[in-house]
Amino acid sequence: MTELSDDLLVAYVDGQLEQKQTSALEKVLAQDDVIARRVGTLKDAHRRLETAFEAILAGEEADAVAQPVPRAPGLFIARETLLKSGLAAAGIVIAAGLLLAGYGWPLAAPEFAARPAAMETVGSLPADWRKEVARAQSLLSRTSLEIGADSQSNPDFIAFQLGEAIGAKLTPPDFAAQGFRFTRAQILTFDGETLVQLLYLGPSGAPLALYAKKGGDDAAQQVMRYDAITGLAWSQGGVDYFLAGESDEASLRRLAEAVRSE
Amino acid sequence: MQAEDLYDSIRTGLIAMLPRLKRFADLLAGERRTGRALLSRALKSMLAGEHRYQRGTALDIWAFAEIYQQWLKELRDHAGQAKTDDASFERLFPNNSGETFDTFTAMFLSSLPPQQRLTLLLVYGERFNPVEAGQVLDVTPETVGARLVRVTASLADQLRERGPLPAGAASAG
């Protein structure tokens, strides 16, 4: 008879063994009735435990359907915060813009974030990618596609089109001295207003994005953080700017200074 | 994300997880009434202290850990845990007509210390890996693995000792 520990057999029953170990163990099971019976009993125990926990959850879910959580009044009163202020609206715009820029959706709560494939059954709330993508797509308009790839290398043409789009003078700033090269520009729309996105790439890391829209009075710089993304917002010369990237705050301030001095 | 949005996300997430949170609290407490009271206090604590939530942590891991910590705190404050009876524990399992009820496994779970019961729940019920289960229970993944082996083997031993049931007695487990 082969001696195999319960540690190994439970790992096998739980599906925790590597393929090679599993194959080796299954050869033993085919030849050793005692081990095979032990594995059979461990599988029975495993199945009973899973079934028991599923049964309790099924009961709780049935109760939840029968007695839904009151929306109001009560402990869980949903607050309507989305788009409640201009800043929040700007945040959504920027967040969706960041998604379009390839950063991912920075406003998504961690519990809604996609998890690694190996952990996807762990039980966090699933993200509804369609909802997030739809929000991002709402920033696109027909104008978004009118600056073609063939025009991206012509700064004067881009400056003209962007200026026309937001109704204010806007020249893509040159961040070459800071190590970022201009890659492309895009016109977005939010709440009926035109928004410009300028994308830059450094020698490594995620893109840097400068967003601009027609604004009001000059306003001082304000730092915002969305998970790994740091943003710097300010208003200058009738344009609202938002610079966003994975750079630190000091680096962003230096880049913003380059914009201010253009 | 602004704090207000994060706060709303936490509340929404907790609501969506309520059945799972109830199961966790009930199994921890060993019976429904005590479990619901524990969950209620833990939820109040979570909502009052949502700032404790660390971005990047899965909400379910955080919430389960908060309930567990609340239970530990109350255990220390009250210098011990009241023993729950088997009948109260059995009532955690739905008793719908036509469904089998595994009394044997229910009684086995009832006999376990709460920490071992939760280890089984997190891995076999919630499908957490040992690292995540360890985060909830504040133990190492090795401890989680050792508990799984010990408890599963113990149940297997009891099943073997009991032997096969006569035909028709399966529903009684």
Side-chain angles (χ1 to χ4, degrees):
Chain A
M1 187 189 88
T2 312
E3 286 289 335
L4 292 178
S5 69
D6 274 344
D7 292 45
L8 184 68
L9 299 182
V10 169
Y12 168 72
V13 168
D14 290 354
Q16 301 294 322
L17 295 184
E18 301 288 336
Q19 185 57 46
K20 274 176 78 173
Q21 293 174 299
T22 300
S23 300
L25 185 54
E26 283 173 348
K27 282 180 187 166
V28 174
L29 294 180
Q31 297 167 353
D32 192 319
D33 288 347
V34 176
I35 298 287
R37 276 198 298 277
R38 180 63 173 166
V39 166
T41 317
L42 287 170
K43 279 185 176 175
D44 186 23
H46 184 127
R47 180 188 55 77
R48 283 169 178 268
L49 290 169
E50 283 187 337
T51 305
F53 294 133
E54 282 170 13
I56 299 174
L57 185 61
E60 304 290 11
E61 286 173 340
D63 285 351
V65 171
Q67 299 171 322
V69 176
R71 303 286 302 176
L75 186 59
F76 302 110
I77 301 171
R79 285 182 290 174
E80 295 177 0
T81 56
L82 200 61
L83 303 179
K84 72 161 42 165
S85 68
L87 187 60
I92 295 298
V93 169
I94 299 310
L98 291 173
L99 176 64
L100 292 172
Y103 280 108
W105 182 248
L107 288 185
E111 70 274 17
F112 293 104
R115 308 183 73 182
M119 295 161 62
E120 66 186 6
T121 59
V122 164
S124 278
L125 302 176
D128 188 341
W129 64 272
R130 292 157 297 198
K131 183 178 172 187
E132 302 300 329
V133 169
R135 289 168 74 182
Q137 188 172 337
S138 70
L139 295 178
L140 295 171
S141 69
R142 191 169 181 80
T143 323
S144 303
L145 306 179
E146 288 185 352
I147 298 184
D150 54 341
S151 65
Q152 296 282 355
S153 59
N154 186 333
D156 292 336
F157 183 73
I158 293 173
F160 171 77
Q161 287 220 328
L162 299 184
E164 285 283 297
I166 66 170
K169 182 177 179 294
L170 178 68
T171 303
D174 184 0
F175 292 144
Q178 289 80 21
F180 289 90
R181 64 180 171 81
F182 173 75
T183 54
R184 64 184 167 92
Q186 186 165 225
I187 295 173
L188 307 173
T189 183
F190 176 73
D191 207 16
E193 286 191 279
T194 300
L195 176 72
V196 165
Q197 178 196 52
L198 303 168
L199 290 170
Y200 298 81
L201 269 183
S204 62
L208 173 79
L210 176 67
Y211 298 85
K213 65 187 278 290
K214 190 170 186 179
D217 297 337
D218 286 6
Q221 293 176 351
Q222 183 183 359
V223 178
M224 302 172 181
R225 288 194 173 81
Y226 303 100
D227 292 335
I229 305 295
T230 302
L232 196 62
W234 75 96
S235 299
Q236 172 193 347
V239 178
D240 290 344
Y241 291 96
F242 186 80
L243 187 60
E246 292 185 352
S247 309
D248 57 33
E249 182 183 333
S251 302
L252 288 181
R253 288 193 187 278
R254 280 195 292 276
L255 291 163
E257 194 50 44
V259 178
R260 294 172 75 92
S261 60
E262 284 279 332
Chain B
M1 178 187 288
Q2 294 184 13
E4 211 167 57
D5 294 325
L6 179 64
Y7 184 64
D8 283 343
S9 294
I10 289 174
R11 287 196 298 180
T12 306
L14 291 175
I15 291 171
M17 285 196 303
L18 267 181
R20 293 168 60 205
L21 298 178
K22 286 178 182 173
R23 175 173 67 169
F24 183 90
D26 289 353
L27 278 169
L28 175 55
E31 56 112 9
R32 184 159 289 163
R33 188 180 54 81
T34 314
R36 294 302 151 87
L38 169 68
L39 178 60
S40 175
R41 292 189 295 273
L43 282 172
K44 280 182 187 167
S45 170
M46 280 185 249
L47 293 173
E50 81 281 355
H51 56 275
R52 292 196 300 267
Y53 176 77
Q54 299 284 316
R55 290 166 199 264
T57 306
L59 185 64
D60 48 7
I61 291 177
W62 178 74
F64 288 142
E66 289 282 317
I67 297 169
Y68 183 65
Q69 289 301 321
Q70 179 76 26
W71 177 79
L72 279 181
K73 175 180 173 296
E74 294 177 5
L75 198 63
R76 284 191 294 267
D77 291 349
H78 301 136
Q81 185 201 14
K83 176 82 178 78
T84 55
D85 61 278
D86 290 346
S88 298
F89 192 86
E90 263 190 37
R91 282 195 287 274
L92 296 180
F93 295 80
N95 196 16
N96 301 333
S97 58
E99 290 188 10
T100 59
F101 176 58
D102 185 355
T103 309
F104 187 86
T105 305
M107 290 306 94
F108 174 80
L109 287 170
S110 173
S111 70
L112 295 176
Q115 289 89 341
Q116 290 189 6
R117 217 156 44 216
L118 289 189
T119 304
L120 293 171
L121 168 67
L122 292 172
V123 177
Y124 295 149
E126 293 288 347
R127 313 284 185 190
F128 282 16
N129 63 40
V131 174
E132 293 162 331
Q135 286 173 358
V136 172
L137 301 174
D138 199 20
V139 295
T140 64
E142 290 75 23
T143 300
V144 170
R147 283 181 188 170
L148 288 178
V149 172
R150 192 162 58 244
V151 178
T152 309
S154 173
L155 177 57
D157 288 342
Q158 292 185 28
L159 287 168
R160 188 191 59 208
E161 287 165 13
R162 187 194 61 168
L165 289 174
S171 64

